[in-house]
Amino acid sequence: MRERNYVTMLDPFHIKYGKAITAGLSLASVVNDVVLLSTTLIGLGGMMSVVLDLPFTVCMWISSAVTVTYTLLGGLYSVAYTDIIQLILVFIGLCICVPFVLTSPSTLDIGQTLMNNTLNAPWIGQPELKKTWLMIDHFVLLAVKSMGSQYFHQRTLSASSPSTARITCIAAGFLLLLFGIPPTLLGAAVSSTDWNQTTYGSPSPYERGEAAMALPIALQHLTPTFISIIGIGCVAAAVMSSADSVLLAAASVFTSDIYKSILRPQASDRENQWVIRVSVVVVGLIGTSLTGLKNSIIMFWFLGAEISSIIIFPQLLCVVYFNICNGYGAVMGFLVGVTIRLLSGDKSMGLEPVIYFPGCTLEDGIHVQYAPIKTISILCTVAAILLFSYLASVLFNKGVLPEKWDVFKVKAQHSPVPLSPVGGATEDNEEEKLKSLSD
């Protein structure tokens, strides 16, 4: 995509499918960004609420106002030039805080609480054989969700060269494992703390429904004041970096792939700049409003992950790497993937399953799927896109269906016949034939 100088990840859809399907996928991308913005604002607002001892709603709107202003003033530069600094700050800040939390008098040895029931359940959870496919499913979701998000692609597409974009992605994969160590240790410490011995008191944050704010609570009650300020300040900077990335991603997709490409193709550069600014404000308002819903940060995160991985990622994979894809396959892939995912049910969303995959069990009156339903949905989406694209291409190119029914102009695209030279033809002969046909 970087080699083809795309501006957003929706550009290949606009080239291949046209305006209608691109508009639908653009809206899905914007919704995904809005949900992710709500996730980051909940984290930032919750942290400010704990530190400043202000109402959660007030802190949320303050965080949103700062983030929107920061994005409007900085634009892409606020994303590109501050991300590295903020990531280094959050890693160093958390590494400084970890020893103080682990050595707090109220915190037990995390090695003892790893698998034993002490103050709380074992912090590592209860690994079971039946959860193997479930863990694989979550791993796949983590691996592909960013591939269907504009906030990831805006970094690679704005890289100085394709090689730089490639190196950045590979390095990020390894750094992600390293950066995950401090939060894991802090989470283990929070689960191993006797909160009755702290100023926070009993019950624990999880029992109070404040698990999403476990990090700022731990920093405030288990570390000295100056260490708490360092840790919370660094984390707030990192969260703000994520928030402005999501804001800019949503605004760029709306402006480039909806407003400029569909609504007003004749819009000037200055007009597009104002559209981006207005979009940042609107997305910020909508995302902040969603934080008032009684849902956890994990709930919003998984909702955004499923939108990007099940709806957008399979479409992007196919349109970039498979020439056979067309609009009919894209529509059917969307319908098949979303239908299978909804019929599979979801405990967190309150959806009862209609399709019972192998391993589905009834627990506390609720059916729980232990099959990798998200991975199955992704694979079914890809299969449906390729299958129905091929069928539509054959039906229209063979004349089985009249050309007037060809809404997505499949007949104008390449036929699904083998693309390799046949009958002893060489590549040069094929190029000559194509030139003669074009003449």
Side-chain angles (χ1 to χ4, degrees), residues 18-166:
K19 296 180 179 180
I21 295 179
T22 305
L25 291 172
S26 299
L27 289 176
S29 177
V30 172
V31 170
N32 176 42
D33 291 332
V34 170
V35 172
L36 291 176
L37 176 63
S38 300
T39 302
T40 54
L41 288 179
I42 289 174
L44 183 58
M47 189 171 299
M48 291 181 60
S49 177
V50 171
V51 176
L52 302 178
D53 195 22
L54 292 174
F56 178 76
T57 305
V58 174
C59 293
M60 196 68 62
W61 284 100
I62 293 175
S63 303
S64 177
V66 172
T67 304
V68 170
T69 304
Y70 175 66
T71 307
L72 287 174
L73 294 177
L76 186 60
Y77 292 100
S78 66
V79 176
Y81 289 101
T82 60
D83 275 2
I84 297 178
I85 298 175
Q86 290 168 332
L87 284 175
I88 294 175
L89 284 177
V90 69
F91 181 71
I92 295 176
L94 289 182
C95 286
I96 293 174
C97 296
V98 166
F100 290 91
V101 174
L102 292 178
T103 57
S104 172
S106 306
T107 304
L108 301 179
D109 184 0
I110 62 174
Q112 297 178 359
T113 59
L114 176 66
M115 297 294 294
N116 300 317
N117 282 293
T118 50
L119 300 173
N120 301 293
W123 59 266
I124 200 173
Q126 297 179 349
E128 300 178 49
L129 184 61
K130 67 178 182 180
K131 294 183 179 180
T132 303
W133 284 111
L134 203 58
M135 291 187 288
I136 293 175
D137 199 30
H138 290 160
F139 176 81
V140 172
L141 188 71
L142 285 169
V144 305
K145 81 174 189 67
S146 294
M147 299 294 181
S149 302
Q150 170 61 20
Y151 69 83
F152 166 79
H153 291 287
Q154 72 184 1
R155 287 168 168 79
T156 58
L157 297 179
S158 61
S160 58
S161 65
S163 60
T164 301
R166 190 178 301 110

